[in-house]
Coordinates of all heavy atoms in Angstrom, one line a residue:
F69 N -91.2 75.6 -112.4 CA -92.0 76.8 -113.0 C -91.4 77.3 -114.2 O -90.2 77.3 -114.4 CB -92.1 77.9 -111.9 CG -92.8 77.5 -110.7 CD1 -92.1 77.0 -109.6 CD2 -94.2 77.6 -110.6 CE1 -92.7 76.6 -108.4 CE2 -94.8 77.2 -109.4 CZ -94.1 76.7 -108.3
A106 N -94.0 82.8 -97.9 CA -92.7 82.4 -98.3 C -92.5 82.1 -99.8 O -91.4 81.8 -100.2 CB -92.3 81.2 -97.5
F107 N -93.6 82.1 -100.6 CA -93.4 81.8 -102.0 C -92.5 82.8 -102.7 O -92.7 84.0 -102.6 CB -94.8 81.7 -102.7 CG -94.7 81.3 -104.2 CD1 -94.3 80.0 -104.5 CD2 -95.0 82.2 -105.1 CE1 -94.2 79.7 -105.9 CE2 -94.9 81.9 -106.5 CZ -94.5 80.6 -106.8
D108 N -91.6 82.2 -103.6 CA -90.7 83.0 -104.4 C -89.8 83.9 -103.5 O -89.6 85.1 -103.8 CB -91.5 83.9 -105.4 CG -90.6 84.4 -106.5 OD1 -89.5 83.9 -106.7 OD2 -91.1 85.2 -107.3
Q109 N -89.2 83.3 -102.5 CA -88.2 84.0 -101.7 C -86.8 83.5 -101.9 O -86.7 82.3 -102.3 CB -88.6 83.9 -100.2 CG -90.0 84.5 -99.9 CD -90.1 86.0 -100.1 OE1 -89.2 86.7 -99.7 NE2 -91.2 86.4 -100.8
Q110 N -85.8 84.2 -101.5 CA -84.4 83.8 -101.7 C -83.9 82.9 -100.6 O -82.9 82.2 -100.8 CB -83.6 85.1 -101.9 CG -83.9 85.9 -103.1 CD -83.5 85.3 -104.4 OE1 -82.6 84.4 -104.4 NE2 -84.1 85.8 -105.5
E111 N -84.4 83.0 -99.4 CA -83.9 82.3 -98.3 C -84.7 81.1 -97.9 O -85.9 81.1 -98.0 CB -83.8 83.2 -97.1 CG -82.9 84.4 -97.2 CD -81.4 84.0 -97.4 OE1 -81.0 83.1 -96.7 OE2 -80.7 84.6 -98.3
P112 N -84.1 80.0 -97.4 CA -84.8 78.8 -96.9 C -85.5 79.2 -95.6 O -85.2 80.1 -94.9 CB -83.7 77.8 -96.7 CG -82.5 78.6 -96.4 CD -82.6 79.9 -97.2
I113 N -86.6 78.4 -95.4 CA -87.4 78.7 -94.2 C -87.8 77.3 -93.5 O -87.8 76.3 -94.1 CB -88.7 79.4 -94.5 CG1 -89.6 78.6 -95.6 CG2 -88.4 80.8 -95.1 CD1 -90.7 77.8 -94.9
G144 N -88.2 74.5 -96.5 CA -88.2 74.5 -98.0 C -87.3 75.7 -98.5 O -86.9 76.5 -97.7
I145 N -87.1 75.7 -99.8 CA -86.4 76.7 -100.4 C -86.8 76.9 -101.8 O -87.3 75.9 -102.5 CB -84.9 76.4 -100.3 CG1 -84.1 77.7 -100.7 CG2 -84.5 75.2 -101.2 CD1 -82.6 77.6 -100.4
D146 N -86.8 78.1 -102.4 CA -87.1 78.3 -103.8 C -85.7 78.4 -104.5 O -84.8 79.0 -104.0 CB -87.8 79.6 -103.9 CG -89.2 79.6 -103.3 OD1 -89.8 78.5 -103.2 OD2 -89.6 80.6 -102.8
I147 N -85.7 77.9 -105.7 CA -84.5 77.8 -106.5 C -84.6 78.9 -107.6 O -85.6 78.9 -108.4 CB -84.3 76.5 -107.2 CG1 -84.1 75.4 -106.1 CG2 -83.0 76.5 -108.1 CD1 -84.0 74.0 -106.6
H148 N -83.7 79.8 -107.6 CA -83.7 80.9 -108.6 C -82.5 80.9 -109.5 O -81.4 80.5 -109.1 CB -83.7 82.3 -107.9 CG -85.0 82.5 -107.1 ND1 -85.1 82.0 -105.8 CD2 -86.1 83.2 -107.4 CE1 -86.3 82.4 -105.3 NE2 -86.9 83.1 -106.3
L153 N -87.7 82.5 -111.0 CA -88.0 81.3 -110.1 C -88.0 80.1 -111.0 O -88.7 80.0 -112.0 CB -89.4 81.5 -109.5 CG -89.9 80.3 -108.7 CD1 -89.0 80.1 -107.4 CD2 -91.4 80.5 -108.3
L154 N -87.2 79.1 -110.7 CA -87.1 77.8 -111.4 C -87.9 76.7 -110.7 O -88.5 75.9 -111.4 CB -85.6 77.4 -111.5 CG -84.6 78.3 -112.2 CD1 -83.2 77.8 -112.2 CD2 -85.1 78.6 -113.6
G155 N -87.8 76.7 -109.4 CA -88.5 75.6 -108.7 C -88.6 75.9 -107.2 O -88.0 76.8 -106.7
T156 N -89.4 75.1 -106.6 CA -89.6 75.1 -105.1 C -89.5 73.7 -104.6 O -90.0 72.8 -105.1 CB -90.9 75.8 -104.7 OG1 -92.0 74.9 -105.1 CG2 -91.1 77.1 -105.3
I157 N -88.8 73.6 -103.4 CA -88.6 72.3 -102.7 C -89.2 72.5 -101.3 O -88.9 73.4 -100.6 CB -87.2 71.9 -102.6 CG1 -86.5 71.8 -104.0 CG2 -87.0 70.7 -101.8 CD1 -85.0 71.7 -104.0
S158 N -90.1 71.5 -101.0 CA -90.6 71.5 -99.6 C -90.4 70.1 -99.0 O -90.6 69.1 -99.7 CB -92.1 71.8 -99.6 OG -92.4 73.0 -100.1
L176 N -79.6 73.2 -97.4 CA -80.5 73.5 -98.4 C -80.0 74.7 -99.3 O -80.1 74.7 -100.5 CB -81.9 73.8 -97.9 CG -82.9 72.7 -97.8 CD1 -84.3 73.2 -97.3 CD2 -83.1 72.0 -99.1
A180 N -79.2 74.4 -103.1 CA -80.0 75.1 -104.0 C -79.2 76.0 -104.9 O -79.6 76.2 -106.1 CB -81.1 75.9 -103.2
K181 N -78.2 76.5 -104.4 CA -77.3 77.4 -105.3 C -76.7 76.6 -106.4 O -76.7 77.1 -107.6 CB -76.2 78.0 -104.4 CG -75.3 79.0 -105.2 CD -74.2 79.6 -104.3 CE -73.3 80.5 -105.1 NZ -72.3 81.1 -104.2
S184 N -79.4 75.5 -108.9 CA -79.8 76.6 -109.7 C -79.0 76.6 -111.0 O -79.6 76.8 -112.1 CB -79.6 78.0 -109.0 OG -79.7 79.1 -109.9

Side-chain angles (χ1 to χ4, degrees):
F69 296 93
F107 180 69
D108 197 11
Q109 301 296 315
Q110 296 287 341
E111 296 296 321
I113 59 96
I145 193 168
D146 297 327
I147 299 174
H148 295 84
L153 176 67
L154 301 177
T156 65
I157 300 168
S158 297
L176 264 185
K181 181 178 180 180
S184 168

